[in-house]
Amino acid sequence: MRVMDEQSLSDNIANLLQRVRRSAGKSQYHNGDILVIAASKGHLAADIRTAHACGIMHFGESYLQEAIKKMAALEDLHLGWHFIGPIQSNKTAPIAQNFDWVHSIDRIKIARRLSEQRPQHLLPLQVCLQINISKEASKSGTTIDALPELATTVVELPNLQLRGLMAVPAANISADEQRDAFSEMREALAQLKGLYSSVDTLSMGMSADVENAILEGATAVRVGTAIFGPRNR
Ligand SMILES: *Cc1c(COP(=O)(O)O)cnc(C)c1O
């Protein structure tokens, strides 16, 4: 793997931030800031350091060992670390110990373990519940139907703070269908917000669909390829 040249990384970030700003300006649902999370899985710590120098403060990782190595190499920067990948129950302890946010909680067992294993000296883990919005058999995420029960459990867990919902719509559907999926997520978030005052985050939108996600009310986007180029995995 080669370190990216700083100019292209900086150009990519400037382009992305412009896409984000433009879509936010057009969205009837936009209010407040949009959190840009650079999905840095499969990319080097050196590239994260450059992205930070270009103003990106939050990074998303999906593979635990890879993430922990990069965290150690970047300890001098104060970055926000987001776990965005599928969670196996034997991996919850290091996730609870090392991350600030988890976007991919999709079952009660995982939520309970993360809360039990969150060290007391850290702030509560900030969490989003992942919805399998396109109902793909192979994807993680709970259903909208099962969401109330999961949310009720999560808000009672002492070391988690429920912040919102996350989704990755199917890649093989049309842009209109993706937009419908994002719209369904916005409605689900509005219901959750009505119940729990800590809820403020709708985590959706990746390199290819940032615009539609923001038009439908995303408050956090997770962008890899558009920032760092293709991944090595
Ligand atoms: C990798 C990843 C992203 C970023 O995807 P890109 O298409 O490279 O922007 C976003 N969300 C999740 C959950 C991911 O795993």
Side-chain angles (χ1 to χ4, degrees):
M1 221 186 302
R2 264 192 300 144
V3 176
M4 279 185 78
D5 91 86
E6 291 184 24
Q7 191 60 51
S8 16
L9 196 41
S10 145
D11 290 347
N12 290 353
I13 289 170
N15 284 337
L16 172 72
L17 295 181
Q18 188 173 52
R19 286 172 68 193
V20 167
R21 257 194 316 272
R22 282 206 181 124
S23 327
K26 285 190 211 156
S27 173
Q28 61 172 308
Y29 303 109
H30 171 69
N31 71 58
D33 292 334
I34 290 175
L35 181 65
V36 173
I37 303 162
S40 46
K41 57 164 189 252
H43 296 285
L44 297 168
D47 295 340
I48 296 180
R49 190 174 285 282
T50 307
H52 172 260
C54 298
I56 302 289
M57 308 297 292
H58 291 263
F59 295 86
E61 293 281 340
S62 312
Y63 307 106
L64 199 56
Q65 279 184 313
E66 175 194 336
I68 287 172
K69 273 192 216 151
K70 287 190 261 186
M71 286 173 180
L74 298 163
E75 224 173 10
D76 57 311
L77 307 177
H78 294 276
L79 306 178
W81 290 103
H82 299 243
F83 194 82
I84 61 176
I87 306 174
Q88 296 164 296
S89 58
N90 64 344
K91 298 282 172 59
T92 51
I95 293 174
Q97 289 157 7
N98 289 286
F99 283 82
D100 304 296
W101 283 71
V102 174
H103 292 237
S104 43
I105 291 182
D106 63 358
R107 52 199 197 276
I108 288 172
K109 179 184 175 190
I110 295 294
R112 284 195 205 286
R113 288 176 65 94
L114 288 170
S115 181
E116 281 160 15
Q117 294 165 337
R118 180 69 168 172
Q120 289 301 317
H121 68 276
L122 297 178
L123 292 174
L125 196 55
Q126 308 296 300
V127 304
C128 291
L129 308 179
Q130 183 173 356
I131 308 291
N132 184 353
I133 196 67
S134 304
K135 303 187 179 73
E136 291 172 282
S138 61
K139 275 258 182 73
S140 338
T142 186
T143 59
I144 298 266
D145 289 345
L147 178 59
E149 192 194 349
L150 179 57
T152 312
T153 306
V154 167
V155 290
E156 296 297 332
L157 294 172
N159 301 316
L160 302 188
Q161 182 166 40
L162 179 61
R163 296 297 296 273
L165 299 177
M166 184 273 244
V168 181
N172 60 350
I173 58 180
S174 72
D176 281 349
E177 287 168 323
Q178 277 173 350
R179 186 147 175 191
D180 290 345
F182 289 139
S183 161
E184 229 183 298
M185 288 294 294
R186 184 191 66 249
E187 284 162 15
L189 189 87
Q191 286 200 2
L192 204 63
K193 239 179 164 167
L195 296 171
Y196 308 114
S197 60
S198 60
V199 169
D200 58 4
T201 301
L202 189 51
S203 169
M204 58 189 199
M206 319 199 323
S207 295
D209 55 16
V210 160
E211 283 83 1
N212 275 342
I214 293 174
L215 286 173
E216 293 296 341
T219 68
V221 294
R222 309 172 313 271
V223 179
T225 315
I227 292 177
F228 297 111
R231 280 181 285 278
N232 289 290
R233 274 195 184 241

